[in-house]
Amino acid sequence: MYTKKDVLDFVNEEDVKFIRLAFFDVKGRQKNISIMPTELERAFEEGIAFDASSIEGFEGPEKSDLFLIPDPSTLAVIPWRPMTGKVVRMFCNIITSDGEPYRKDSRMLLKNACDRLKNECGIELMVGTEIEFYLFKLDENGNPTKVPFDNAGYMDIAPLDHGENIRRDICFTLEQMGFTPEASHHEEGPGQNEIDFRYSDVLTAADNVATFKWIVNTKAAANGLYADFSPKPLAGEAGNGMHINISCHKTGTQSGDDDSEEMNETLNYILAGIFNHIEEITYFLNPVENSYKRLGSAKATKYISWGNGNRSALIRIPSSKNKMRLEVRSPDPECNPYIALTFMIHAAIDGIKNKLSLQPSVEENLFDNRTASRLGLKTLPQSLEEAKEVAANSMFVKAVTGDFNL
């Protein structure tokens, strides 16, 4: 865990010539500004100014001065840049000219949610993500096509799978930047791939997602390909999901050291909280119109449900010999991971504090619409506009976002 002094020493001693200060707009798109080492002390003390009116969803020109304060714990060398005259990256906190945290800084919103869960419930979450993406060929002018890089299927190997060397390169790059990929494989769709992350604290998990998408896009381009994270790149083929796995432990203990029965009960409350609010927060988990082409097709359920080991349920408890966990299967990679996890934590707090009870689990195959219809299950919103309307009318969402514009 780097401190401010560690970063300053590293930059001085390791031939660092550029520091990228990264932050996110409300949709989760990563932005950055590069500074020289001579400006780093000022960045830590005063912040580096930027024009908030030029960032979608932030402020108008009449109140446009915001400042980036680097988070030293997120220091990482960018390994595909030259090692002589290194380039490093840090994620930043955003503050106003008054020195106050900026209310639309999604990374700060997640930090605050984690603090609330810790302080009010004595609980910390561990999160692991499973992120899917397609690799498409470029045309003769270097523009993306919808021609898949290969025609392999689920967990196929070379020579059918053309993506194994790129996945290998991505995983090595992640490790070089201090992140821990857990597994990688070809997914169900042609040209579709998946890389999974080992469990980490919530903020690190969100940082992992942001860094991962950046690396995948960079490595795809370096190989003459285009990486597509959109929820439904190809009609009739599997969509791209971002499954979120959650476990919990008491504050001050390590995951696995708690009383299993008590933590399983707590996880049930967390599940109930997310289940109760999933419809209201779908707009933030599935934030583009294309998201709703994925839900309800090719193994992405649209029914609000949970089940034990049931991959057709929206939330499932995977079979495991180790610690109990839950998997939320509706989010897709277009979501802002900081905001998605913020809402899940607030839903978890509601479940824990109010000891919400679970509805009966669903063990039937919900990919069979006739079965789902017979069970009378409620569905997620069926369009982006419907999801936005549900969120706009939700007291829960308003309590979390305050004056945050949808």
Side-chain angles (χ1 to χ4, degrees), residues 211-227:
T211 302
F212 171 76
K213 292 173 71 174
W214 179 35
I215 290 173
V216 170
N217 286 326
T218 300
K219 293 300 180 180
N223 283 275
L225 299 169
Y226 171 70

Side-chain angles (χ1 to χ4, degrees), residues 108-117 120-121 125 269-270 273-274 277 281 338-354 356 396-397 399-401:
M108 183 59 68
L109 287 173
L110 181 56
K111 281 184 179 180
N112 292 342
C114 292
D115 287 344
R116 184 180 170 219
L117 177 66
E120 296 184 15
C121 303
L125 300 186
Y269 293 144
I270 292 171
I274 295 173
H277 293 294
I281 67 176
Y338 300 96
I339 290 182
L341 287 168
T342 293
F343 277 107
M344 286 191 185
I345 289 175
H346 283 284
I349 292 170
D350 185 34
I352 294 169
K353 295 185 74 171
N354 293 300
L356 298 181
F396 172 77
V397 168
V400 174
T401 61

Side-chain angles (χ1 to χ4, degrees), residues 94-222:
I94 306 174
I95 63 171
T96 66
S97 57
D98 298 326
E100 295 297 319
Y102 180 52
R103 72 191 191 286
K104 293 183 182 179
D105 178 359
S106 55
R107 200 166 180 270
M108 183 59 68
L109 287 173
L110 181 56
K111 281 184 179 180
N112 292 342
C114 292
D115 287 344
R116 184 180 170 219
L117 177 66
K118 179 179 178 180
N119 295 333
E120 296 184 15
C121 303
I123 293 294
E124 295 179 75
L125 300 186
M126 299 293 285
V127 168
T129 55
E130 304 168 18
I131 308 171
E132 297 165 338
F133 60 95
Y134 275 78
L135 292 174
F136 291 119
K137 296 179 181 180
L138 304 178
D139 65 19
E140 62 275 11
N141 298 315
N143 298 314
T145 71
K146 289 296 184 182
V147 179
F149 185 43
D150 62 36
N151 288 301
Y154 183 66
M155 288 195 174
D156 276 345
I157 60 173
L160 288 174
D161 172 18
H162 296 177
E164 62 178 19
N165 287 336
I166 296 177
R167 294 195 304 272
R168 177 176 177 271
D169 193 12
I170 290 167
C171 289
F172 282 161
T173 303
L174 286 165
E175 286 188 322
Q176 288 175 304
M177 294 187 72
F179 302 108
T180 309
E182 187 174 56
S184 65
H185 60 87
H186 199 284
E187 251 298 336
E188 187 174 335
Q192 189 182 30
N193 300 266
E194 176 177 313
I195 296 179
D196 305 337
F197 280 95
R198 185 175 296 173
Y199 279 77
S200 61
D201 67 88
V202 178
L203 189 61
T204 298
D207 288 343
N208 286 349
V209 173
T211 302
F212 171 76
K213 292 173 71 174
W214 179 35
I215 290 173
V216 170
N217 286 326
T218 300
K219 293 300 180 180

Side-chain angles (χ1 to χ4, degrees), residues 199 246-248 255 260-261 263-269 271 306 308 317-318 320-326 358:
Y199 279 77
I246 299 172
S247 64
C248 64
S255 181
S260 295
E261 186 174 342
M263 285 299 98
N264 286 349
E265 182 180 41
T266 300
L267 197 66
N268 280 331
Y269 293 144
L271 193 163
W306 76 275
N308 289 296
I317 303 293
S320 175
K321 294 180 180 178
N322 300 315
K323 193 174 180 69
M324 179 178 164
R325 62 183 171 92
L326 62 86
L358 282 169

Side-chain angles (χ1 to χ4, degrees), residues 54 75 78 98 101 150 184 192 200 224 234 236 253 260 308 318-319 346 360 366-367 379:
S54 296
L75 177 72
I78 300 176
D98 298 326
D150 62 36
S184 65
Q192 189 182 30
S200 61
L234 296 174
T253 67
S260 295
N308 289 296
S319 302
H346 283 284
L366 299 182
F367 297 139
T379 64

Side-chain angles (χ1 to χ4, degrees), residues 355-395:
K355 297 189 183 313
L356 298 181
S357 59
L358 282 169
Q359 295 186 16
S361 65
V362 174
E363 309 306 330
E364 291 86 350
N365 178 11
L366 299 182
F367 297 139
D368 182 339
N369 286 326
R370 293 171 300 178
T371 299
S373 178
R374 175 175 55 80
L375 294 172
L377 298 175
K378 192 173 183 179
T379 64
L380 293 171
Q382 298 297 287
S383 68
L384 182 64
E385 190 59 35
E386 182 184 345
K388 184 175 182 178
E389 183 178 355
V390 172
N393 292 324
S394 165
M395 295 306 297

Side-chain angles (χ1 to χ4, degrees), residues 26-28 106 109 242 244 277-288 291-292 295 330-344 380-381 383-384 386-406:
V26 295
K27 292 185 177 179
S106 55
L109 287 173
M242 189 181 82
I244 297 176
H277 293 294
I278 195 73
E279 182 182 11
E280 299 162 274
I281 67 176
T282 290
Y283 178 69
F284 303 95
L285 307 184
N286 308 101
V288 297
S291 299
Y292 300 86
L295 296 174
S330 62
D332 64 60
E334 289 286 358
C335 75
N336 180 333
Y338 300 96
I339 290 182
L341 287 168
T342 293
F343 277 107
M344 286 191 185
L380 293 171
S383 68
L384 182 64
E386 182 184 345
K388 184 175 182 178
E389 183 178 355
V390 172
N393 292 324
S394 165
M395 295 306 297
F396 172 77
V397 168
K398 290 176 182 176
V400 174
T401 61
D403 61 353
F404 202 119
N405 291 325
L406 293 174

